[in-house]
Amino acid sequence: MAEISDLGEFGLIDRITKDFPLKNTSSLLGVGDDAAIMNYGDKDVLVTTDLLLEGIHFDLRYVPLKHLGYKSAIVNFSDIYAMGGTPRQITVSLGVSSRFSVEHIDTLYEGIRAACDLYGVDLVGGDTSASVTGLVISITCLGECEKGKEIRRDGAKPTDLICVSGDLGAAYMGLQLLERENRVSAQAGKEFQPDFAGKEYILERQLKPEARRDIVRALSEEGIHPTSMMDVSDGLSSELLHICRNSKVGCRVYEDRIPVDYQTALMAEELNMNLITAAMNGGEDYELLFTVPLTDHDKVENVKGVKIIGYVTQPDLGCAMITRDGQEFPLKAQGWNAFTEK
Amino acid sequence: MAEISDLGEFGLIDRITKDFPLKNTSSLLGVGDDAAIMNYGDKDVLVTTDLLLEGIHFDLRYVPLKHLGYKSAIVNFSDIYAMGGTPRQITVSLGVSSRFSVEHIDTLYEGIRAACDLYGVDLVGGDTSASVTGLVISITCLGECEKGKEIRRDGAKPTDLICVSGDLGAAYMGLQLLERENRVSAQAGKEFQPDFAGKEYILERQLKPEARRDIVRALSEEGIHPTSMMDVSDGLSSELLHICRNSKVGCRVYEDRIPVDYQTALMAEELNMNLITAAMNGGEDYELLFTVPLTDHDKVENVKGVKIIGYVTQPDLGCAMITRDGQEFPLKAQGWNAFTEK
């Protein structure tokens, strides 16, 4: 294993960046100067950033470094797609403690590169440093969008349909599974082999999520321009409340319309957890939550992988879920909160 | 003192961002959606990022939080100016451990705001999180530049003059002073009062550096377009070697031309350190190092606060300093390296 200190900061940067040729015409100059240079012509520029800290956002006892790199990039791409944009460039800053070797960093960047290759994004900058504590990953993503065509959180109107892509709660259940196996493994010692058979989907949702570029494209092909959109990172309840607060509206969502995968449901049962709570508050699904005008009902029904889960109301009606037996429960943001859970 | 966990992530974001109204026409949407939105018209977009970690880049035993916030922003602005650009937006990501109160975060942001106000920069996004370890600050800065007018590192030509703004080594000497007083204070206990009289300049250079916007403007007013430029963050030797390597040239700098302040020299003597080593390798000065064509000699002599320290040579002559007694010493990058010093 090679020591990072033998390479030094600039050696490490050279090693990392040689496998990242620039792909986008908007990327004029990448790594290697005081700043990267881009030109977007007349497009709008989007910027989003995510900070991932060891012990808070990930646990290296059960998250492989390659997956971590992949996911760190994806969560940023997802934010750009959730604005209706296209991610184009990222900067990656790393704080690395001395227990990491050069090979560890290579593996982390393999994941970042895989995500960048799949989504057509350029690595154009960053900062690398030692860390006296855990691993720190800070990624900023730049993207582009046709001038004024961004889909914000504040455009939902009463009678709009509320839609969500894919299914919810799987990433959360994957995390529960990983944490359980990690606990059992710690007790059982070396001979323990975790059994993930039949649970591959929820594991992949937790470890290797995707950004829903396909949904953004499908909506565009159907001529649907959502009135508001967000990605589901903190949990559906929390994101719905954001849209409603920003758009100054209320909402109703139907419990029996919340899309849930079979493996998510099985895992919830196995762990004796409430399935709908997991789906509503689990977070990290990186699905798209959006609203469309009622007149787009038939069009949106044509889009594969999208489900209508409710509708937007006047603000005075508040935000509520309607259960299977017709009762109304106010939505609460029990989503992931980095300041209260730990 | 208010607990951050009582506010929660979104409460904290609201509290932080209410004092950051957008000032730039390029900032279309700031904090509060999946991504911020900007439009730069036909300008090029610059991006740079810095990661600052407690215990590596700063020590809260002697760095006040307000100064830390100010400096965290400034080091990014400096990178944009060093490209010949103008900083316009920043995103600020924070990882905060539980020993920080809401008031601590307010103080940190006071410093960030002061820097943003002075340099006309908008806060447009970020990410806030708990940290199980120390304070983590990750700032990304976007800037603009006339299309193709960026000043890179790779344009220096043989016979070009090498210039530097301000003076060097002061920030490093300020750090030495702070570290010494901190050691003495730890031994002496409560009654100890550090004596910083007559050392205000080197302290300010360490704790509250400025980005040399004034120099970029002055060069532009004189009609000088540097052939290469960088800011001095890792030390003059290290930055000179970057420019020479990227431009495929050599250089000669004169020991007796290196600008050093009186307080820097006094402190070096007091600490029995080599002054020129400090000036060449100290780092964190955030002065501008640049090259201009020989024909600009008279123009550059007109620019206040800029000194010609040497000249660019053919690559085969290598990079060297010429001492007062006419000897040549090869330049070495002994600059600050986060991976080897700690």
PDB file of all heavy atoms in Angstrom, chain B residues 46-73:
ATOM      1  N   LEU B  46     -15.733  31.015 -13.699  1.00  0.00           N
ATOM      2  CA  LEU B  46     -14.598  30.422 -12.985  1.00  0.00           C
ATOM      3  C   LEU B  46     -15.114  29.714 -11.738  1.00  0.00           C
ATOM      4  O   LEU B  46     -16.080  30.169 -11.127  1.00  0.00           O
ATOM      5  CB  LEU B  46     -13.612  31.515 -12.570  1.00  0.00           C
ATOM      6  CG  LEU B  46     -13.102  32.423 -13.691  1.00  0.00           C
ATOM      7  CD1 LEU B  46     -12.249  33.541 -13.112  1.00  0.00           C
ATOM      8  CD2 LEU B  46     -12.321  31.609 -14.710  1.00  0.00           C
ATOM      9  N   VAL B  47     -14.482  28.617 -11.373  1.00  0.00           N
ATOM     10  CA  VAL B  47     -14.862  27.949 -10.119  1.00  0.00           C
ATOM     11  C   VAL B  47     -13.606  27.466  -9.396  1.00  0.00           C
ATOM     12  O   VAL B  47     -12.674  26.954 -10.008  1.00  0.00           O
ATOM     13  CB  VAL B  47     -15.863  26.798 -10.364  1.00  0.00           C
ATOM     14  CG1 VAL B  47     -15.254  25.660 -11.170  1.00  0.00           C
ATOM     15  CG2 VAL B  47     -16.393  26.241  -9.045  1.00  0.00           C
ATOM     16  N   THR B  48     -13.605  27.692  -8.092  1.00  0.00           N
ATOM     17  CA  THR B  48     -12.493  27.243  -7.243  1.00  0.00           C
ATOM     18  C   THR B  48     -13.067  26.805  -5.911  1.00  0.00           C
ATOM     19  O   THR B  48     -14.170  27.216  -5.537  1.00  0.00           O
ATOM     20  CB  THR B  48     -11.454  28.372  -7.047  1.00  0.00           C
ATOM     21  OG1 THR B  48     -10.357  27.867  -6.283  1.00  0.00           O
ATOM     22  CG2 THR B  48     -12.060  29.552  -6.307  1.00  0.00           C
ATOM     23  N   THR B  49     -12.339  25.954  -5.204  1.00  0.00           N
ATOM     24  CA  THR B  49     -12.886  25.428  -3.955  1.00  0.00           C
ATOM     25  C   THR B  49     -11.779  25.192  -2.940  1.00  0.00           C
ATOM     26  O   THR B  49     -10.647  24.877  -3.308  1.00  0.00           O
ATOM     27  CB  THR B  49     -13.701  24.139  -4.228  1.00  0.00           C
ATOM     28  OG1 THR B  49     -14.400  23.756  -3.061  1.00  0.00           O
ATOM     29  CG2 THR B  49     -12.807  22.992  -4.672  1.00  0.00           C
ATOM     30  N   ASP B  50     -12.087  25.398  -1.674  1.00  0.00           N
ATOM     31  CA  ASP B  50     -11.129  25.176  -0.596  1.00  0.00           C
ATOM     32  C   ASP B  50     -11.796  24.449   0.554  1.00  0.00           C
ATOM     33  O   ASP B  50     -12.909  24.777   0.945  1.00  0.00           O
ATOM     34  CB  ASP B  50     -10.565  26.512  -0.079  1.00  0.00           C
ATOM     35  CG  ASP B  50      -9.254  26.861  -0.760  1.00  0.00           C
ATOM     36  OD1 ASP B  50      -8.251  26.211  -0.459  1.00  0.00           O
ATOM     37  OD2 ASP B  50      -9.261  27.768  -1.607  1.00  0.00           O
ATOM     38  N   LEU B  51     -11.070  23.493   1.086  1.00  0.00           N
ATOM     39  CA  LEU B  51     -11.554  22.720   2.226  1.00  0.00           C
ATOM     40  C   LEU B  51     -10.681  23.048   3.424  1.00  0.00           C
ATOM     41  O   LEU B  51      -9.461  22.917   3.363  1.00  0.00           O
ATOM     42  CB  LEU B  51     -11.447  21.228   1.895  1.00  0.00           C
ATOM     43  CG  LEU B  51     -11.868  20.238   2.979  1.00  0.00           C
ATOM     44  CD1 LEU B  51     -13.358  20.359   3.278  1.00  0.00           C
ATOM     45  CD2 LEU B  51     -11.537  18.812   2.547  1.00  0.00           C
ATOM     46  N   LEU B  52     -11.294  23.505   4.500  1.00  0.00           N
ATOM     47  CA  LEU B  52     -10.542  23.872   5.701  1.00  0.00           C
ATOM     48  C   LEU B  52     -10.978  22.977   6.856  1.00  0.00           C
ATOM     49  O   LEU B  52     -12.164  22.920   7.195  1.00  0.00           O
ATOM     50  CB  LEU B  52     -10.797  25.341   6.047  1.00  0.00           C
ATOM     51  CG  LEU B  52     -10.364  26.338   4.965  1.00  0.00           C
ATOM     52  CD1 LEU B  52     -10.812  27.749   5.344  1.00  0.00           C
ATOM     53  CD2 LEU B  52      -8.859  26.299   4.778  1.00  0.00           C
ATOM     54  N   LEU B  53     -10.002  22.285   7.449  1.00  0.00           N
ATOM     55  CA  LEU B  53     -10.310  21.325   8.497  1.00  0.00           C
ATOM     56  C   LEU B  53      -9.649  21.727   9.811  1.00  0.00           C
ATOM     57  O   LEU B  53      -8.468  22.069   9.835  1.00  0.00           O
ATOM     58  CB  LEU B  53      -9.801  19.937   8.089  1.00  0.00           C
ATOM     59  CG  LEU B  53     -10.346  19.381   6.778  1.00  0.00           C
ATOM     60  CD1 LEU B  53      -9.646  18.070   6.434  1.00  0.00           C
ATOM     61  CD2 LEU B  53     -11.846  19.163   6.879  1.00  0.00           C
ATOM     62  N   GLU B  54     -10.433  21.652  10.864  1.00  0.00           N
ATOM     63  CA  GLU B  54      -9.894  21.952  12.191  1.00  0.00           C
ATOM     64  C   GLU B  54      -8.743  20.987  12.512  1.00  0.00           C
ATOM     65  O   GLU B  54      -8.820  19.796  12.236  1.00  0.00           O
ATOM     66  CB  GLU B  54     -11.003  21.808  13.242  1.00  0.00           C
ATOM     67  CG  GLU B  54     -10.558  22.240  14.618  1.00  0.00           C
ATOM     68  CD  GLU B  54     -11.691  22.222  15.639  1.00  0.00           C
ATOM     69  OE1 GLU B  54     -12.857  22.045  15.238  1.00  0.00           O
ATOM     70  OE2 GLU B  54     -11.400  22.378  16.835  1.00  0.00           O
ATOM     71  N   GLY B  55      -7.682  21.506  13.075  1.00  0.00           N
ATOM     72  CA  GLY B  55      -6.540  20.671  13.441  1.00  0.00           C
ATOM     73  C   GLY B  55      -5.519  20.546  12.325  1.00  0.00           C
ATOM     74  O   GLY B  55      -4.398  20.113  12.544  1.00  0.00           O
ATOM     75  N   ILE B  56      -5.931  20.892  11.095  1.00  0.00           N
ATOM     76  CA  ILE B  56      -5.010  20.877   9.955  1.00  0.00           C
ATOM     77  C   ILE B  56      -4.761  22.303   9.483  1.00  0.00           C
ATOM     78  O   ILE B  56      -3.640  22.776   9.426  1.00  0.00           O
ATOM     79  CB  ILE B  56      -5.573  20.033   8.787  1.00  0.00           C
ATOM     80  CG1 ILE B  56      -5.782  18.576   9.197  1.00  0.00           C
ATOM     81  CG2 ILE B  56      -4.667  20.151   7.551  1.00  0.00           C
ATOM     82  CD1 ILE B  56      -4.514  17.748   9.290  1.00  0.00           C
ATOM     83  N   HIS B  57      -5.852  22.987   9.150  1.00  0.00           N
ATOM     84  CA  HIS B  57      -5.728  24.326   8.582  1.00  0.00           C
ATOM     85  C   HIS B  57      -5.918  25.439   9.604  1.00  0.00           C
ATOM     86  O   HIS B  57      -5.585  26.579   9.343  1.00  0.00           O
ATOM     87  CB  HIS B  57      -6.733  24.528   7.450  1.00  0.00           C
ATOM     88  CG  HIS B  57      -6.570  23.538   6.344  1.00  0.00           C
ATOM     89  ND1 HIS B  57      -7.281  22.364   6.304  1.00  0.00           N
ATOM     90  CD2 HIS B  57      -5.774  23.525   5.265  1.00  0.00           C
ATOM     91  CE1 HIS B  57      -6.931  21.677   5.229  1.00  0.00           C
ATOM     92  NE2 HIS B  57      -6.022  22.351   4.582  1.00  0.00           N
ATOM     93  N   PHE B  58      -6.543  25.123  10.712  1.00  0.00           N
ATOM     94  CA  PHE B  58      -6.729  26.164  11.730  1.00  0.00           C
ATOM     95  C   PHE B  58      -6.828  25.516  13.106  1.00  0.00           C
ATOM     96  O   PHE B  58      -7.152  24.334  13.233  1.00  0.00           O
ATOM     97  CB  PHE B  58      -7.969  27.015  11.448  1.00  0.00           C
ATOM     98  CG  PHE B  58      -9.247  26.221  11.338  1.00  0.00           C
ATOM     99  CD1 PHE B  58     -10.006  25.940  12.461  1.00  0.00           C
ATOM    100  CD2 PHE B  58      -9.689  25.765  10.107  1.00  0.00           C
ATOM    101  CE1 PHE B  58     -11.177  25.206  12.355  1.00  0.00           C
ATOM    102  CE2 PHE B  58     -10.863  25.024   9.992  1.00  0.00           C
ATOM    103  CZ  PHE B  58     -11.611  24.749  11.120  1.00  0.00           C
ATOM    104  N   ASP B  59      -6.513  26.337  14.101  1.00  0.00           N
ATOM    105  CA  ASP B  59      -6.524  25.898  15.489  1.00  0.00           C
ATOM    106  C   ASP B  59      -7.385  26.891  16.259  1.00  0.00           C
ATOM    107  O   ASP B  59      -7.022  28.066  16.394  1.00  0.00           O
ATOM    108  CB  ASP B  59      -5.084  25.893  16.015  1.00  0.00           C
ATOM    109  CG  ASP B  59      -4.991  25.283  17.406  1.00  0.00           C
ATOM    110  OD1 ASP B  59      -5.977  25.387  18.173  1.00  0.00           O
ATOM    111  OD2 ASP B  59      -3.934  24.718  17.723  1.00  0.00           O
ATOM    112  N   LEU B  60      -8.537  26.422  16.735  1.00  0.00           N
ATOM    113  CA  LEU B  60      -9.488  27.358  17.346  1.00  0.00           C
ATOM    114  C   LEU B  60      -9.006  27.876  18.699  1.00  0.00           C
ATOM    115  O   LEU B  60      -9.635  28.766  19.271  1.00  0.00           O
ATOM    116  CB  LEU B  60     -10.868  26.703  17.469  1.00  0.00           C
ATOM    117  CG  LEU B  60     -11.561  26.494  16.116  1.00  0.00           C
ATOM    118  CD1 LEU B  60     -12.863  25.715  16.294  1.00  0.00           C
ATOM    119  CD2 LEU B  60     -11.860  27.837  15.445  1.00  0.00           C
ATOM    120  N   ARG B  61      -7.880  27.361  19.197  1.00  0.00           N
ATOM    121  CA  ARG B  61      -7.343  27.920  20.440  1.00  0.00           C
ATOM    122  C   ARG B  61      -6.827  29.335  20.224  1.00  0.00           C
ATOM    123  O   ARG B  61      -6.760  30.123  21.148  1.00  0.00           O
ATOM    124  CB  ARG B  61      -6.222  27.036  20.991  1.00  0.00           C
ATOM    125  CG  ARG B  61      -6.751  25.774  21.658  1.00  0.00           C
ATOM    126  CD  ARG B  61      -5.610  24.851  21.999  1.00  0.00           C
ATOM    127  NE  ARG B  61      -4.854  24.486  20.796  1.00  0.00           N
ATOM    128  CZ  ARG B  61      -3.767  23.719  20.803  1.00  0.00           C
ATOM    129  NH1 ARG B  61      -3.289  23.263  21.941  1.00  0.00           N
ATOM    130  NH2 ARG B  61      -3.146  23.413  19.676  1.00  0.00           N
ATOM    131  N   TYR B  62      -6.441  29.662  19.004  1.00  0.00           N
ATOM    132  CA  TYR B  62      -5.978  31.040  18.798  1.00  0.00           C
ATOM    133  C   TYR B  62      -6.522  31.713  17.544  1.00  0.00           C
ATOM    134  O   TYR B  62      -6.119  32.824  17.223  1.00  0.00           O
ATOM    135  CB  TYR B  62      -4.442  31.124  18.847  1.00  0.00           C
ATOM    136  CG  TYR B  62      -3.699  30.143  17.979  1.00  0.00           C
ATOM    137  CD1 TYR B  62      -3.537  30.374  16.622  1.00  0.00           C
ATOM    138  CD2 TYR B  62      -3.139  29.000  18.535  1.00  0.00           C
ATOM    139  CE1 TYR B  62      -2.844  29.475  15.837  1.00  0.00           C
ATOM    140  CE2 TYR B  62      -2.444  28.096  17.756  1.00  0.00           C
ATOM    141  CZ  TYR B  62      -2.307  28.340  16.406  1.00  0.00           C
ATOM    142  OH  TYR B  62      -1.629  27.454  15.629  1.00  0.00           O
ATOM    143  N   VAL B  63      -7.414  31.052  16.828  1.00  0.00           N
ATOM    144  CA  VAL B  63      -8.055  31.703  15.682  1.00  0.00           C
ATOM    145  C   VAL B  63      -9.509  32.010  16.025  1.00  0.00           C
ATOM    146  O   VAL B  63     -10.309  31.102  16.229  1.00  0.00           O
ATOM    147  CB  VAL B  63      -8.007  30.808  14.424  1.00  0.00           C
ATOM    148  CG1 VAL B  63      -8.742  31.464  13.269  1.00  0.00           C
ATOM    149  CG2 VAL B  63      -6.566  30.517  14.036  1.00  0.00           C
ATOM    150  N   PRO B  64      -9.868  33.301  16.124  1.00  0.00           N
ATOM    151  CA  PRO B  64     -11.260  33.648  16.419  1.00  0.00           C
ATOM    152  C   PRO B  64     -12.171  33.221  15.260  1.00  0.00           C
ATOM    153  O   PRO B  64     -11.777  33.289  14.091  1.00  0.00           O
ATOM    154  CB  PRO B  64     -11.229  35.176  16.536  1.00  0.00           C
ATOM    155  CG  PRO B  64      -9.769  35.543  16.672  1.00  0.00           C
ATOM    156  CD  PRO B  64      -9.005  34.479  15.975  1.00  0.00           C
ATOM    157  N   LEU B  65     -13.376  32.772  15.573  1.00  0.00           N
ATOM    158  CA  LEU B  65     -14.288  32.243  14.557  1.00  0.00           C
ATOM    159  C   LEU B  65     -14.624  33.264  13.476  1.00  0.00           C
ATOM    160  O   LEU B  65     -14.768  32.921  12.307  1.00  0.00           O
ATOM    161  CB  LEU B  65     -15.587  31.751  15.215  1.00  0.00           C
ATOM    162  CG  LEU B  65     -15.507  30.365  15.855  1.00  0.00           C
ATOM    163  CD1 LEU B  65     -16.732  30.116  16.727  1.00  0.00           C
ATOM    164  CD2 LEU B  65     -15.393  29.281  14.781  1.00  0.00           C
ATOM    165  N   LYS B  66     -14.751  34.532  13.879  1.00  0.00           N
ATOM    166  CA  LYS B  66     -15.089  35.555  12.888  1.00  0.00           C
ATOM    167  C   LYS B  66     -13.958  35.704  11.875  1.00  0.00           C
ATOM    168  O   LYS B  66     -14.201  35.810  10.666  1.00  0.00           O
ATOM    169  CB  LYS B  66     -15.362  36.893  13.585  1.00  0.00           C
ATOM    170  CG  LYS B  66     -15.897  37.945  12.649  1.00  0.00           C
ATOM    171  CD  LYS B  66     -16.336  39.195  13.391  1.00  0.00           C
ATOM    172  CE  LYS B  66     -16.690  40.285  12.398  1.00  0.00           C
ATOM    173  NZ  LYS B  66     -17.103  41.512  13.090  1.00  0.00           N
ATOM    174  N   HIS B  67     -12.730  35.698  12.357  1.00  0.00           N
ATOM    175  CA  HIS B  67     -11.583  35.766  11.454  1.00  0.00           C
ATOM    176  C   HIS B  67     -11.516  34.541  10.561  1.00  0.00           C
ATOM    177  O   HIS B  67     -11.195  34.623   9.378  1.00  0.00           O
ATOM    178  CB  HIS B  67     -10.284  35.873  12.259  1.00  0.00           C
ATOM    179  CG  HIS B  67     -10.069  37.204  12.891  1.00  0.00           C
ATOM    180  ND1 HIS B  67     -10.689  37.574  14.053  1.00  0.00           N
ATOM    181  CD2 HIS B  67      -9.324  38.268  12.509  1.00  0.00           C
ATOM    182  CE1 HIS B  67     -10.329  38.807  14.365  1.00  0.00           C
ATOM    183  NE2 HIS B  67      -9.502  39.255  13.452  1.00  0.00           N
ATOM    184  N   LEU B  68     -11.833  33.395  11.146  1.00  0.00           N
ATOM    185  CA  LEU B  68     -11.798  32.157  10.373  1.00  0.00           C
ATOM    186  C   LEU B  68     -12.794  32.212   9.220  1.00  0.00           C
ATOM    187  O   LEU B  68     -12.487  31.819   8.084  1.00  0.00           O
ATOM    188  CB  LEU B  68     -12.111  30.974  11.295  1.00  0.00           C
ATOM    189  CG  LEU B  68     -12.115  29.604  10.632  1.00  0.00           C
ATOM    190  CD1 LEU B  68     -10.752  29.272  10.048  1.00  0.00           C
ATOM    191  CD2 LEU B  68     -12.540  28.528  11.640  1.00  0.00           C
ATOM    192  N   GLY B  69     -13.994  32.715   9.508  1.00  0.00           N
ATOM    193  CA  GLY B  69     -15.002  32.851   8.457  1.00  0.00           C
ATOM    194  C   GLY B  69     -14.523  33.792   7.359  1.00  0.00           C
ATOM    195  O   GLY B  69     -14.640  33.494   6.164  1.00  0.00           O
ATOM    196  N   TYR B  70     -13.975  34.922   7.788  1.00  0.00           N
ATOM    197  CA  TYR B  70     -13.476  35.917   6.826  1.00  0.00           C
ATOM    198  C   TYR B  70     -12.401  35.300   5.933  1.00  0.00           C
ATOM    199  O   TYR B  70     -12.487  35.353   4.706  1.00  0.00           O
ATOM    200  CB  TYR B  70     -12.907  37.108   7.600  1.00  0.00           C
ATOM    201  CG  TYR B  70     -12.603  38.315   6.743  1.00  0.00           C
ATOM    202  CD1 TYR B  70     -13.591  39.256   6.472  1.00  0.00           C
ATOM    203  CD2 TYR B  70     -11.337  38.510   6.206  1.00  0.00           C
ATOM    204  CE1 TYR B  70     -13.320  40.366   5.685  1.00  0.00           C
ATOM    205  CE2 TYR B  70     -11.064  39.615   5.419  1.00  0.00           C
ATOM    206  CZ  TYR B  70     -12.062  40.538   5.166  1.00  0.00           C
ATOM    207  OH  TYR B  70     -11.791  41.633   4.371  1.00  0.00           O
ATOM    208  N   LYS B  71     -11.421  34.666   6.567  1.00  0.00           N
ATOM    209  CA  LYS B  71     -10.299  34.107   5.817  1.00  0.00           C
ATOM    210  C   LYS B  71     -10.752  32.976   4.877  1.00  0.00           C
ATOM    211  O   LYS B  71     -10.259  32.866   3.750  1.00  0.00           O
ATOM    212  CB  LYS B  71      -9.236  33.594   6.800  1.00  0.00           C
ATOM    213  CG  LYS B  71      -7.973  33.063   6.142  1.00  0.00           C
ATOM    214  CD  LYS B  71      -6.888  32.814   7.191  1.00  0.00           C
ATOM    215  CE  LYS B  71      -5.680  32.121   6.606  1.00  0.00           C
ATOM    216  NZ  LYS B  71      -4.584  31.994   7.594  1.00  0.00           N
ATOM    217  N   SER B  72     -11.690  32.145   5.342  1.00  0.00           N
ATOM    218  CA  SER B  72     -12.189  31.041   4.511  1.00  0.00           C
ATOM    219  C   SER B  72     -12.764  31.546   3.196  1.00  0.00           C
ATOM    220  O   SER B  72     -12.616  30.897   2.153  1.00  0.00           O
ATOM    221  CB  SER B  72     -13.293  30.261   5.242  1.00  0.00           C
ATOM    222  OG  SER B  72     -12.881  29.866   6.511  1.00  0.00           O
ATOM    223  N   ALA B  73     -13.441  32.692   3.269  1.00  0.00           N
ATOM    224  CA  ALA B  73     -14.003  33.273   2.047  1.00  0.00           C
ATOM    225  C   ALA B  73     -12.891  33.911   1.211  1.00  0.00           C
ATOM    226  O   ALA B  73     -12.805  33.696  -0.001  1.00  0.00           O
ATOM    227  CB  ALA B  73     -15.077  34.304   2.408  1.00  0.00           C
TER     228      ALA B  73
END
